Amino acid sequence: MRIGPAWEKVKSLTQEEDPAALASLRRNYCAGQVRHWGADEQKAAETLYRLLKQAGGAEAAGQSETLAPGTFWPHAADR
């Protein structure tokens, strides 16, 4: 995955000008790339959604009690 174009969009949002700070932000941004997204990760996201819903109700998670079918692109697994 090329990170350049994506980073350029994020970089402008940081409003940071210090080169060392930008280098640190980019390193950490790149470290957060999703390299695997399978059934276990989707189940964890569903659990997190339920916890968010319990803690914050509709204000935090909307009206749905569960993640909507189709939330996750079916071809994203093991990318």
Side-chain angles (χ1 to χ4, degrees):
M1 171 185 283
R2 286 189 52 236
I3 197 68
W7 168 248
E8 288 304 317
K9 291 178 184 177
V10 172
K11 179 181 169 183
S12 67
L13 297 172
T14 69
Q15 299 181 359
E16 181 59 64
E17 295 180 10
D18 177 58
L22 282 169
S24 177
L25 287 168
R26 187 176 197 278
R27 258 190 323 277
N28 289 306
Y29 176 80
C30 293
Q33 290 180 9
V34 176
R35 301 202 188 277
H36 174 77
W37 187 256
D40 289 342
E41 290 78 15
Q42 290 179 21
K43 186 173 179 142
E46 291 167 1
T47 299
L48 181 59
Y49 181 86
R50 280 194 305 278
L51 292 171
L52 182 62
K53 181 72 173 187
Q54 288 172 358
E59 187 174 326
Q63 299 300 319
S64 181
E65 294 298 320
T66 59
L67 289 175
T71 296
F72 303 112
W73 189 48
H75 303 292
D78 297 323
R79 41 175 245 155

